[in-house]
Amino acid sequence: MAEMWINMGPQHPMTHGLWNMRVKVDGETITDAEPVIGYLHRGWEKMVENRRYPQIIPMADRLCYGSSFTWSHVYCMAAEDLMGVEVPERAKYIRAMSDELQRIGNHLMWLAAIGPDLGNLTIFLYAIREREMFLDLFQSLCGARMTYNYCRIGGVRNAAPPNWERDLVRTLDYFEKRMDEYEDLVDRNKVFRMRMEGLAPMSGKDAINLGFTGPVLRASGVKYDIRHNDPYEIYDELDWHMCTAEEGDTYARYRVRMDEMRMSMQIVRDILKKMPKDGPIRVKPPRNAPVGTGFARMEDPRGESLIYIIGDGTDQPFRVKVRSPLYVILSGSKYLLQGYKVADVPSILGMIDVCMGETDR
Amino acid sequence: MAEDVSYTVEQVKSKISEAFPTAVKFESKTKPRRLFMTADKGSLLNLAKMMKEQLGFDQCSLVTGVDRCDRMQAVYHLTSYTSNITAEIVVDLPRDNPEVDSIAPLWGGANWHEREAYDMFGIIFKGHPKLERLLLPADYTFFPMRKDCDKGRD
């Protein structure tokens, strides 16, 4: 049969946002694939060159509404690196805790998105319902549900309201039970497993070379987590371990993310135990950054995110560059898709957690 | 992974300055698990090769293009998974002819970063497997992230 190029999207519901995955097929088998990004390109990096340092925090939130806290967090860490600001101890704990809650929220959105892709609407309804609890926690913490604008250069905006800790513990207790239900629903579902197991395996060596990070890398058996190997904030003082899997296939990527949700809950509980009860949560940063550069990297829900800032002595950055994990993973999606069927595309791409906001920027 | 040997920042520094006594200069800025240096554009590819094959820098985290107005810069962030070091390499390029060797043949992860730097700044990466526009339409004639680019403004 003749080979031809077909467009998966922009209309395909799996690709949240406007993008286009061109796949070359021979019959039903994919022989080549080419992601076409740039439908959403907002010129983020150009826009922030005309804004003052604090004004970029709400912009960093918009990089991905699913994990907006981690994006504003990595931006603040990069700006602190540039300005030489030291964050108070308590703010570090609050940031790490919010990171982990954000990780659970983001993974729940991913779980909800892959459900309908693989033909199971129940998991979508369950995951969206539970994500609501974590959005509620964030709402009472900082007043917003998705784009939080909560992190500040030099700390966080405010401390938690009274009774917040009680609500948090209740939510975690409840969610832990729900996690068992998810695993019953997905891991014991033959259709789900048939559509995931053995699909698009990738060796650890290839994954590293292609620049894959985060759960996709750890599912290939590579023990690398920035929280562990290049710790920021207070992660080196906490009691937790890395979640990895050996198979490197789509099912392993699913398993790593599910394990990470449980691990995040353990981290949050540990933070609640160790967090200082009072103390400053914010220091005042200088208005003008010095001439120089600063960068920070952290473990985003999707992998390594890095922000590199060049300061020129004014109150506006000279250049801000974002490294988003998904941008790099999509550049290697050709190697994931080759040799599989058109019907496998939603499953393979779903497991790398597509978010167009942080890809196009 | 070339070697599973872990190095300290000082060891990496001395090995690089042994191999590249004049082309690579280290910055005085020090941070734990970080390495800052500037390199000549001619020796960048050899430096990258050495870092990948001998020093175990397995991953290219980021390639940034910068327009410094009097010159262009390509900034590389390389990460070692065994030694847990992130190195920052700054390469100065002339503004009228910004050309540098591509490191995409070494690290597949650098591919789209270099394409984006070309797309936004017009930096030419020699030896890149597919140096085309990535985010912008193919028929654009300007490079929007350059500081003197005013197209589309009122």
Side-chain angles (χ1 to χ4, degrees):
Chain A
M1 191 180 263
E3 288 188 326
M4 64 171 180
W5 284 96
I6 56 173
N7 294 317
M8 303 281 291
Q11 79 285 357
H12 189 273
M14 184 242 115
T15 55
H16 335 253
L18 303 162
W19 84 312
N20 182 359
M21 184 71 168
R22 299 184 70 224
V23 291
K24 192 181 191 184
V25 291
D26 179 8
E28 236 188 293
T29 310
I30 296 167
T31 57
D32 197 0
E34 190 192 352
V36 182
I37 63 170
Y39 280 89
L40 196 68
H41 190 61
R42 295 169 286 178
W44 195 92
E45 287 169 12
K46 186 83 174 172
M47 282 204 288
V48 299
E49 284 174 8
N50 293 317
R51 277 162 177 76
R52 292 197 296 278
Y53 285 99
Q55 288 177 326
I56 299 172
I57 300 167
M59 303 260 309
D61 278 339
R62 266 77 179 169
L63 278 169
C64 170
Y65 72 85
S67 63
S68 64
F69 182 81
T70 55
W71 276 110
S72 52
H73 185 185
V74 69
Y75 166 72
C76 289
M77 280 204 297
E80 285 152 11
D81 187 38
L82 172 66
M83 297 174 182
V85 175
E86 185 59 36
V87 180
E89 183 78 2
R90 188 156 163 244
K92 289 185 181 178
Y93 277 97
I94 295 176
R95 282 177 173 192
M97 180 175 66
S98 312
D99 266 357
E100 296 309 320
L101 293 175
Q102 180 73 93
R103 193 181 313 276
I104 298 174
N106 186 73
H107 283 353
L108 280 172
M109 203 172 74
W110 153 82
L111 187 65
I114 62 156
D117 286 347
L118 302 187
N120 189 337
L121 195 63
T122 316
I123 194 77
F124 168 79
L125 296 171
Y126 280 14
I128 284 289
R129 185 181 62 190
E130 260 70 81
R131 176 166 174 260
E132 209 65 21
M133 299 188 311
F134 289 95
L135 295 187
D136 286 346
L137 282 175
F138 269 113
Q139 189 175 19
S140 63
L141 181 64
C142 54
R145 287 166 56 76
M146 286 202 190
T147 47
Y148 305 118
N149 191 11
Y150 177 54
C151 213
R152 286 288 182 277
I153 300 169
V156 290
R157 192 179 69 204
N158 56 286
N163 291 341
W164 192 78
E165 209 172 300
R166 183 203 64 192
D167 292 347
L168 174 61
V169 172
R170 277 186 193 167
T171 305
L172 293 180
D173 287 343
Y174 175 74
F175 184 61
E176 220 142 47
K177 287 181 206 130
R178 304 293 308 182
M179 282 292 293
D180 297 336
E181 252 176 62
Y182 293 162
E183 285 172 355
D184 272 0
L185 191 65
V186 179
D187 290 21
R188 292 167 71 183
N189 182 334
K190 191 129 190 248
V191 176
F192 248 116
R193 296 191 62 149
M194 276 167 68
R195 291 198 65 178
M196 292 197 286
E197 272 175 334
L199 195 64
M202 176 149 281
S203 71
K205 203 170 164 238
D206 288 347
I208 291 175
N209 188 276
L210 287 171
F212 288 11
T213 46
V216 184
L217 177 72
R218 287 193 289 280
S220 298
V222 181
K223 291 190 170 36
Y224 191 82
D225 189 320
I226 297 173
R227 287 175 290 169
H228 182 271
N229 296 61
D230 189 7
Y232 50 95
E233 309 298 10
I234 37 77
Y235 276 107
D236 46 350
E237 293 164 23
L238 298 176
D239 169 33
W240 65 286
H241 67 82
M242 237 186 276
C243 307
T244 55
E246 289 302 320
E247 297 82 5
D249 60 355
T250 301
Y251 183 64
R253 287 169 204 142
Y254 159 80
R255 276 297 344 152
V256 168
R257 284 204 167 86
M258 295 301 269
D259 291 345
E260 271 191 5
M261 282 202 265
R262 282 184 190 276
M263 194 46 63
S264 290
M265 283 191 277
Q266 186 182 324
I267 297 174
V268 172
R269 283 179 200 278
D270 198 35
I271 287 175
L272 288 180
K273 239 184 281 164
K274 292 180 178 159
M275 185 159 73
K277 290 291 167 247
D278 44 10
I281 53 163
R282 193 174 160 188
V283 294
K284 199 169 160 49
R287 185 183 161 88
N288 291 348
V291 179
T293 64
F295 77 94
R297 55 203 287 265
M298 72 177 288
E299 189 71 24
D300 195 65
R302 296 185 184 82
E304 173 189 350
S305 59
L306 192 156
I307 287 189
Y308 175 66
I309 304 182
I310 299 178
D312 59 352
T314 62
D315 56 354
Q316 292 180 345
F318 185 76
R319 167 100 168 99
V320 178
K321 169 74 185 166
V322 179
R323 183 240 200 245
S324 63
L326 196 76
Y327 179 76
V328 182
I329 295 177
L330 276 181
S331 75
S333 57
K334 174 181 160 184
Y335 303 97
L336 289 171
L337 292 173
Q338 265 169 352
Y340 296 95
K341 302 271 190 280
V342 173
D344 295 331
V345 173
S347 172
I348 294 172
L349 291 183
M351 285 316 153
I352 63 177
D353 195 1
V354 181
C355 164
M356 293 325 290
E358 70 167 59
T359 309
D360 288 7
R361 300 187 303 278
Chain B
M1 270 173 260
E3 283 179 47
D4 285 341
V5 190
S6 155
Y7 297 105
T8 63
V9 175
E10 286 307 315
Q11 280 170 325
V12 173
K13 243 186 189 176
S14 68
K15 273 174 193 283
I16 290 176
S17 54
E18 222 172 81
F20 300 93
T22 53
V24 178
K25 290 185 187 66
F26 291 97
E27 280 177 39
S28 54
K29 187 157 74 164
T30 50
K31 289 218 170 75
R33 301 185 299 277
R34 298 279 188 267
L35 191 59
F36 299 93
M37 51 182 143
T38 55
D40 280 358
K41 70 168 189 167
S43 55
L44 173 79
L45 191 62
N46 286 333
L47 174 67
K49 249 185 206 146
M50 179 189 165
M51 289 181 81
K52 186 183 181 205
E53 283 157 15
Q54 292 172 34
L55 302 173
F57 281 78
D58 338 274
Q59 200 219 3
C60 173
S61 288
L62 179 63
V63 181
T64 312
V66 184
D67 183 5
R68 288 279 194 175
C69 298
D70 55 339
R71 63 191 191 277
M72 295 289 224
Q73 281 181 332
V75 184
Y76 299 84
H77 286 90
L78 306 177
T79 305
S80 163
Y81 279 2
T82 44
S83 326
N84 298 327
I85 299 172
T86 303
E88 181 180 311
I89 307 170
V90 182
V91 180
D92 279 343
L93 308 171
R95 201 165 190 285
D96 51 350
N97 181 26
E99 244 187 22
V100 67
D101 287 314
S102 169
I103 59 163
L106 292 173
W107 287 283
N111 190 323
W112 273 21
H113 288 310
E114 290 189 342
R115 265 178 87 175
E116 190 186 332
Y118 165 71
D119 199 351
M120 295 295 162
F121 289 92
I123 298 174
I124 310 285
F125 292 92
K126 277 182 291 183
H128 189 280
K130 189 179 181 180
L131 200 63
E132 289 170 17
R133 294 268 186 189
L134 176 69
L135 292 156
L136 300 176
D139 55 351
Y140 271 33
T141 54
F142 53 90
F143 300 109
M145 286 289 285
R146 287 192 180 191
K147 291 280 178 188
D148 59 359
C149 180
D150 254 356
K151 290 233 164 57
R153 284 207 168 184
D154 305 323

